Amino acid sequence: MTILRGVKGMNDILPDEIGRWHRVEKAFARAASLHGFREVRTPYLEPTPLFVRTIGEATDVVEKEMYSFSHHDEPLTLRPEGTAGAARAFVEHAIHGKEQVSRWYYVGPMFRAERPQRGRYRQFYQAGAEIFGDAGPGCDAEMIEMLVTFLAAIGVPGVEVLVNSLGGADARAKYKAALVTYLEPKKGELSAESQRRLGTNPLRILDSKSPTDQAALDGAPTIHEFLDDADRAHFAALQRHLTALGTPFVVAPKLVRGLDYYTRTLFEIKGAKEKLGAGDTLVGGGRYDGMVEELGGPSVPAIGFAAGLERLLIASELTSEGAVVDAFVAPLGDAAIDHALVLGRDLRAAGVSCEVDARGGSLKSQLRRANSVGARVALVVGDREVAEGVVQVKDLAGHTQESVARATVVSVVTERVRSAVPAASDGRS
Ligand code: HAM
């Protein structure tokens, strides 16, 4: 019989790996709540037009990466990102009428039919946040500072922040026209993909990886020449705030991103380039001041970002959370199993996590299992212990053993587990 395999580019996260995921997710939730963000959960499936309207028809995501299907004539798409769904929920529940500023965060799976490779998957997880109702640039700077602090907390080396401003719709339209005028005579030098983009989405040519495209762009106008005074003041203030916060950044005038909804502030964060490859971005974000209105709401400014969790895990130096349980109960012989189960229940009621090996088996094999689940103590109960009303408590790290009265063993073990140094070596948070 052939083994059925999972979908290409969609990975299992096995229990051995989940400890690092939990640590990164906890650090993210902590950073977000310290900054006043509250969690939002939106559906994985959304109506297809939501993404077409917000991300843009002429983007890679909408043109070729969405998992879309029709169910009873309703066009549906597995969300390729979280911003459009968050903005839809914001409008649908008329949140703007309830509070002036909303700070939302989310962690969850996204789906894009990309060519899978290290750091690029078809189901991947994003940790993201959105602020609705604050036109910035103070909150833009604060968001970037939060990310830099979070990345430091999870041990990502070599963090680099790139910022740019795309201006408003007017500036972008003028810039697009100027870029097309500049590139049209050089069309023959451009890659096939960029030649096509010249007619559909010329700004995307700016972040083409092709050396010939980049050579053709040498001397091209930059968006900065087209920003109006308000855009310029916004971008200058963002840089001033970041400097005041001591958050290092680099202005990247050619930075554009793959989604059409951005206005004004745009940023990317890279890090751990030797592990991830220079091309891979850890975090991408920016303003999308027009989206809420585009979705039928009032004019509400917004900014957000998303970080790819798999990429954060490749980049992070965090180790796994160590032990699975604090204590391990090893019954010797059938008669001891009832006692072991009751002892396990009593330990858990006292807050001590424990596994009872109700399969029984030899002491040696049970102790091997106790070590493999990282237990600090093993509690051995055999016929003799039951008869004498005691339990053998084995300290698995210290290799000591003592006989403790059944009546006091729960408090003795609770005390021992609590007073154990939260092992930095096993990376417990
Ligand atoms: P994005 O740049 O498309 O932005 O994705 C953000 C991050 O998600 C990337 O920097 C990367 O870490 C991760 N990512 C994207 N695609 C993949 C993939 N195929 N495999 C693994 N990781 C991936 C957004 O999604 C916007 N919604 C961000 C945003 C929020 N802008 C405003 N608010």
Side-chain angles (χ1 to χ4, degrees):
M1 193 98 101
T2 49
I3 297 174
L4 264 179
R5 296 186 184 281
V7 178
K8 193 171 163 210
M10 303 199 178
N11 302 316
D12 301 308
I13 304 160
L14 297 174
D16 266 354
E17 306 159 66
I18 205 77
R20 296 186 77 229
W21 284 76
H22 285 165
R23 293 195 74 190
V24 171
E25 287 164 4
K26 264 190 233 163
F28 182 70
R30 167 110 186 109
S33 64
L34 277 174
H35 286 78
F37 289 83
R38 293 183 304 149
E39 188 182 355
V40 65
R41 296 188 189 182
T42 60
Y44 297 178
L45 268 184
E46 295 277 2
T48 302
L50 172 68
F51 301 115
V52 178
R53 250 208 264 170
T54 55
I55 295 173
E57 225 152 343
T59 57
D60 284 349
V61 173
V62 170
E63 273 181 355
K64 47 191 182 199
E65 294 169 1
M66 295 206 304
Y67 286 97
S68 300
F69 58 95
S70 178
H71 185 255
H72 296 307
D73 293 334
E74 190 183 5
L76 299 171
T77 292
L78 276 170
R79 62 181 189 186
E81 55 106 54
T83 308
R88 183 215 28 83
F90 181 85
V91 173
E92 190 168 334
H93 301 282
I95 305 295
H96 45 87
K98 300 175 185 155
E99 55 191 21
Q100 282 180 359
V101 176
S102 303
R103 293 183 160 218
W104 291 1
Y105 83 90
Y106 51 87
V107 178
M110 307 294 161
F111 305 84
R112 294 185 195 176
E114 295 197 71
R115 200 165 53 79
Q117 60 194 69
R118 183 173 161 81
R120 193 173 299 281
Y121 312 100
R122 292 183 168 174
Q123 174 173 329
F124 59 98
Y125 288 76
Q126 280 187 344
E130 316 289 348
I131 302 178
F132 297 99
D134 187 336
C139 73
D140 305 19
E142 197 186 34
M143 192 169 245
I144 294 171
E145 176 274 327
M146 160 173 140
L147 280 161
V148 170
T149 307
F150 160 66
L151 293 172
I154 61 165
V156 174
V159 167
E160 189 187 25
V161 177
L162 305 177
V163 295
N164 195 17
S165 175
L166 284 187
D170 195 38
R172 256 193 337 282
K174 285 191 192 138
Y175 178 51
K176 253 186 211 173
L179 194 61
V180 171
T181 309
Y182 172 85
L183 285 173
E184 202 60 62
K186 298 169 180 273
K187 193 168 175 179
E189 300 162 33
L190 295 176
S191 65
E193 181 67 8
S194 290
Q195 291 191 14
R196 196 176 67 83
R197 289 282 187 228
L198 201 54
T200 57
N201 199 347
L203 293 190
R204 294 292 300 153
I205 300 173
L206 293 173
D207 68 353
S208 158
K209 302 271 183 303
S210 144
T212 54
D213 289 350
Q214 284 307 323
L217 284 166
D218 245 0
T222 73
I223 182 79
H224 293 189
E225 296 158 37
F226 299 87
L227 299 182
D228 66 21
D229 288 348
D231 294 335
R232 269 180 226 282
H234 193 279
F235 192 41
L238 167 66
Q239 296 176 58
R240 208 178 61 238
H241 298 324
L242 285 172
T243 306
L245 285 164
T247 303
F249 63 91
V250 176
V251 173
K254 276 203 255 170
L255 177 67
V256 286
R257 313 208 48 256
L259 312 163
D260 273 358
Y261 50 63
Y262 290 117
T263 54
R264 289 196 166 166
T265 305
L266 197 65
F267 59 92
E268 277 189 2
I269 306 185
K270 296 181 190 285
K273 282 190 185 161
E274 61 299 334
K275 286 198 234 164
L276 262 176
D280 274 348
T281 302
L282 285 172
V283 188
R287 285 208 152 267
Y288 47 99
D289 290 340
M291 191 189 295
V292 170
E293 201 169 6
E294 173 71 33
L295 294 176
S299 169
V300 173
I303 181 168
F305 68 82
L309 272 170
E310 290 83 354
R311 292 187 191 179
L312 291 180
L313 282 157
I314 294 171
S316 158
E317 278 156 11
L318 275 190
T319 54
S320 177
E321 281 185 348
V324 179
V325 291
D326 296 319
F328 191 90
V329 184
L332 297 178
D334 279 353
I337 293 178
D338 285 344
H339 295 271
L341 290 170
V342 173
L343 178 54
R345 183 200 62 193
D346 294 350
L347 284 165
R348 293 180 196 114
V352 175
S353 60
C354 85
E355 180 176 327
V356 178
D357 199 345
R359 300 170 310 163
S362 73
L363 180 61
K364 196 168 157 205
S365 73
Q366 295 200 62
L367 291 181
R368 206 177 304 129
R369 168 95 187 136
N371 276 310
S372 78
V373 294
R376 294 213 163 92
V377 288
L379 305 168
V380 182
V381 202
D383 292 345
R384 193 165 55 87
E385 283 76 18
V386 173
E388 291 174 10
V390 296
V391 174
Q392 301 297 332
V393 178
K394 269 180 173 300
D395 186 316
L396 291 169
H399 306 291
T400 54
Q401 175 168 336
E402 60 180 314
S403 183
V404 178
R406 173 62 179 88
T408 56
V409 73
V410 171
S411 55
V412 168
V413 170
T414 309
E415 186 52 36
R416 185 143 330 156
V417 166
R418 293 232 173 97
S419 63
V421 193
S425 54
D426 74 7
R428 284 184 164 214
S429 52

